Amino acid sequence: MPCEDIFELFFWHNLLHHELERCFCRCASFAGLSPLELQVLWLTSTSNSVTLADLASVTTHSKKELERVVKCLEQDGLVEEIGSKESYYVCFQPTNRGQDVLGRLFNRPSKCRCVLRSERDSVKNLLEVAREVVFELKRQGSCGLIAKSRTEPK
């Protein structure tokens, strides 16, 4: 890919990122959570075995920072630790209350003007292409947490 294309892609990505971040922050605010808390809550709902390492890989935040977020979510009764305290392999999942928060968020009247609420083919195609690009660049299994019903592209 020529440098010019990479630069153009970078700027389009940057503009899209800012628009999506604005929408995501509105959703987090509606749920009474910080954007990172909403990310963690949603990601824990996508799999039965989400670890801090998985969360760090997908959110690009440090495990130490995510530990604090998970503790806050646990204190609020939204996320719970599963697995043995003696084991190094500790996973997290949303509680029923956490699932209710996500349900209220996803089922609220369409007040968010976010482009991702659209059923347009262009948005669906963008999601598919973005998924393929990330898998191509990262080749990491934890990216599967982003969409539990989808598999790695071929």
Side-chain angles (χ1 to χ4, degrees):
M1 175 182 275
C3 282
E4 293 86 359
D5 289 347
I6 292 172
F7 290 173
E8 185 176 353
L9 179 60
F10 171 80
F11 286 111
W12 284 121
H13 165 267
N14 198 32
L15 292 168
L16 181 61
H17 171 78
H18 285 291
E19 286 301 309
L20 294 176
E21 185 175 41
R22 185 176 54 80
C23 179
F24 191 82
C25 288
R26 280 189 190 158
C27 291
S29 178
F30 176 82
L33 300 169
S34 73
L36 185 53
E37 288 172 332
L38 180 55
Q39 289 177 57
V40 169
L41 179 60
W42 186 76
L43 288 167
T44 60
S45 75
T46 64
S47 174
N48 293 331
S49 58
V50 177
T51 65
L52 282 175
D54 294 331
L55 294 171
S57 175
V58 174
T59 65
T60 68
H61 288 270
S62 71
K63 289 198 282 185
K64 189 168 190 85
E65 185 176 5
L66 289 164
E67 250 176 18
R68 289 190 300 265
V69 170
V70 168
K71 283 183 184 177
C72 288
L73 291 171
E74 283 179 312
Q75 289 172 349
D76 290 341
L78 300 174
V79 169
E80 63 188 353
E81 186 177 298
I82 55 175
S84 168
K85 292 273 190 198
E86 297 80 37
S87 171
Y88 288 111
Y89 190 76
V90 177
C91 297
F92 302 94
Q93 68 183 18
T95 62
N96 289 338
R97 184 169 179 234
Q99 290 287 15
D100 289 345
V101 167
L102 290 173
R104 283 194 313 272
L105 182 63
F106 297 147
N107 296 318
R108 74 183 191 158
S110 185
K111 293 184 181 180
C112 179
R113 301 264 187 249
C114 179
V115 67
L116 290 183
R117 292 193 61 109
S118 170
E119 292 297 318
R120 294 173 50 189
D121 285 339
S122 60
V123 174
K124 291 178 183 177
N125 291 339
L126 175 62
L127 289 171
E128 288 301 317
V129 169
R131 186 175 303 108
E132 290 174 13
V133 168
V134 170
F135 277 120
E136 188 66 30
L137 293 173
K138 279 188 87 126
R139 287 281 181 213
Q140 292 182 359
S142 60
C143 290
L145 290 174
I146 297 171
K148 63 182 172 185
S149 64
R150 298 177 178 111
T151 58
E152 182 174 342
K154 296 175 180 159

